[in-house]
């Protein structure tokens, strides 16, 4: 695993930059964060060129994150009520690039709206998948279900249920490492791309895992998780703005 040319940026609860002229706006609501530790050598080949696994305590992590996408919008235009609002579940890895920028790499993103899936796959080369999905809340238990339709593997699924607990008054550095990720690494037409995002501090809650039946992690090309997640958290959500993608040299596009 190659070393980055710059030290990784600090782990922070607040974004290191702003998005004055956002490319995209949206809200992420009713999130369940599940994380398992993985060997960095197992995930390094799955990351885009120019990035390596971001580690904490000598290991990296695979995240299974289920939530409700709410009112995706372009630039400063109002978010779209129907097509821009849908359940989503993603499998993600943790990355750092040669400029020290920490981010996430999505191995899969299941969503229940076909048009946004097609646009994200075609325009941004993101591994979105069209799935039947639902999010239901009964008391303090939130249940997320997903069954993949297209492009596949068809039938890849997840059923996650968490019991929401008390608010986390002071999240640890590790919890910020897992949740406060200020950008996305991707390969776009053969070139490295970093898409920064900003949002308020996560309001995090402790959560107990009530049920987890899934094969999305394996379908994403990762080893099957062993044992219970090392971290289970819930958040009611945050509004999010995505800035302009940065050029390979780290300079934002105009």
């Amino acid at each position: 695993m190659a070393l980055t040319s710059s030290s990784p940026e600090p782990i922070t609860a607040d974004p290191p930059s702003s998005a004055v002229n956002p490319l995209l706006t949206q809200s992420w609501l009713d999130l369940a964060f599940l994380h398992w530790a993985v060997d960095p050598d197992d995930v390094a080949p799955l990351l885009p060129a120019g990035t390596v696994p971001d580690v904490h305590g000598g290991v990296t992590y695979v995240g299974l994150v289920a939530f409700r996408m709410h009112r995706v919008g372009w630039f400063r235009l109002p978010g779209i009520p129907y097509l821009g609002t849908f359940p989503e579940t993603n499998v993600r890895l943790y990355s750092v690039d040669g400029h020290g920028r920490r981010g996430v790499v999505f191995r899969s993103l299941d969503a229940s709206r076909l048009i946004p899936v097609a646009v994200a796959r075609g325009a941004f080369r993101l591994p979105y998948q069209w799935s039947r999905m639902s999010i239901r809340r009964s008391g303090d238990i939130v249940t997320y279900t997903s069954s993949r339709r297209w492009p596949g593997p068809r039938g890849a699924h997840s059923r996650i249920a968490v019991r929401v607990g008390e608010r986390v008054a002071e999240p640890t550095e590790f919890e910020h490492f897992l949740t406060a990720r200020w950008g996305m690494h991707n390969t776009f037409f053969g070139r490295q791309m970093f898409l920064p995002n900003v949002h308020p501090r996560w309001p995090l809650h402790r959560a107990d895992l009530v049920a987890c039946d899934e094969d999305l992690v394996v379908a994403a090309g990762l080893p099957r998780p062993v044992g219970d997640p090392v971290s289970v958290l819930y958040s009611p959500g945050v509004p999010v703005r995505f800035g302009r993608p940065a050029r390979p040299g780290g300079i934002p596009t105009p």
Side-chain angles (χ1 to χ4, degrees), residues 74 86 109 114-129 186 188:
W74 288 95
F86 45 84
L109 304 102
L114 178 57
I115 291 176
V117 165
V119 170
R121 290 183 67 89
F124 295 100
R125 298 298 190 264
L126 289 171
Y128 264 92
Q129 313 280 339
N186 193 27
F188 190 70

Side-chain angles (χ1 to χ4, degrees), residues 145-169:
T145 62
S146 172
S147 179
R148 190 168 294 171
R149 290 169 153 174
W150 175 86
R154 189 175 176 87
H157 69 280
S158 66
R159 181 181 180 275
I160 302 164
V162 298
R163 178 177 288 107
V164 181
E166 73 279 2
R167 176 78 178 263
V168 181

Side-chain angles (χ1 to χ4, degrees), residues 2-252:
L3 297 175
T4 55
S5 56
S6 298
S7 298
E9 61 191 8
I11 298 168
T12 61
D14 300 300
S17 61
S18 62
V20 177
N21 296 306
L23 177 66
L24 287 167
T25 61
Q26 55 201 246
S27 291
W28 301 332
L29 306 178
D30 294 319
L31 299 97
F33 297 93
L34 279 61
H35 286 93
W36 291 266
V38 291
D39 188 325
D41 290 339
D42 288 340
V43 303
L46 304 177
L47 301 182
T51 66
V52 296
D54 197 4
V55 299
H56 192 280
V59 296
T60 191
Y61 294 86
V62 55
L64 182 63
V65 183
F67 65 103
R68 190 189 315 276
M69 183 77 81
H70 183 67
R71 295 183 73 98
V72 176
W74 288 95
F75 308 111
R76 294 184 178 275
L77 298 174
I80 303 169
Y82 176 75
L83 287 178
T85 299
F86 45 84
E88 181 172 319
T89 298
N90 62 61
V91 176
R92 69 190 201 182
L93 302 175
Y94 295 86
S95 51
V96 61
D97 64 22
H99 304 282
R101 298 173 299 198
R102 299 179 187 269
V104 298
V105 172
F106 293 108
R107 291 295 299 168
S108 66
L109 304 102
D110 286 75
S112 64
R113 296 277 187 266
L114 178 57
I115 291 176
V117 165
V119 170
R121 290 183 67 89
F124 295 100
R125 298 298 190 264
L126 289 171
Y128 264 92
Q129 313 280 339
W130 184 35
S131 298
R132 294 182 180 88
M133 306 185 77
S134 69
I135 301 175
R136 295 186 175 88
R137 182 156 191 159
S138 178
D140 59 357
I141 295 179
V142 186
T143 302
Y144 312 80
T145 62
S146 172
S147 179
R148 190 168 294 171
R149 290 169 153 174
W150 175 86
R154 189 175 176 87
H157 69 280
S158 66
R159 181 181 180 275
I160 302 164
V162 298
R163 178 177 288 107
V164 181
E166 73 279 2
R167 176 78 178 263
V168 181
E170 293 291 339
T172 64
E173 182 188 75
F174 176 55
E175 288 164 340
H176 289 317
F177 174 89
L178 295 176
T179 60
R181 310 298 298 189
W182 304 115
M184 173 188 71
H185 289 111
N186 193 27
T187 300
F188 190 70
F189 290 106
R191 302 184 70 181
Q192 180 188 325
M193 181 183 75
F194 180 77
L195 190 67
N197 71 77
V198 300
H199 58 71
R201 284 192 180 201
W202 283 110
L204 295 174
H205 290 248
R206 303 289 176 210
D208 294 321
L209 187 61
V210 177
C212 182
D213 174 20
E214 65 84 26
D215 60 6
L216 298 184
V217 173
V218 172
L222 291 152
R224 184 176 301 279
V226 177
D228 293 332
V230 297
S231 174
V232 181
L233 295 167
Y234 169 85
S235 177
V238 291
V240 184
R241 291 179 296 166
F242 280 91
R244 306 295 175 118
R247 295 191 184 103
I251 304 171

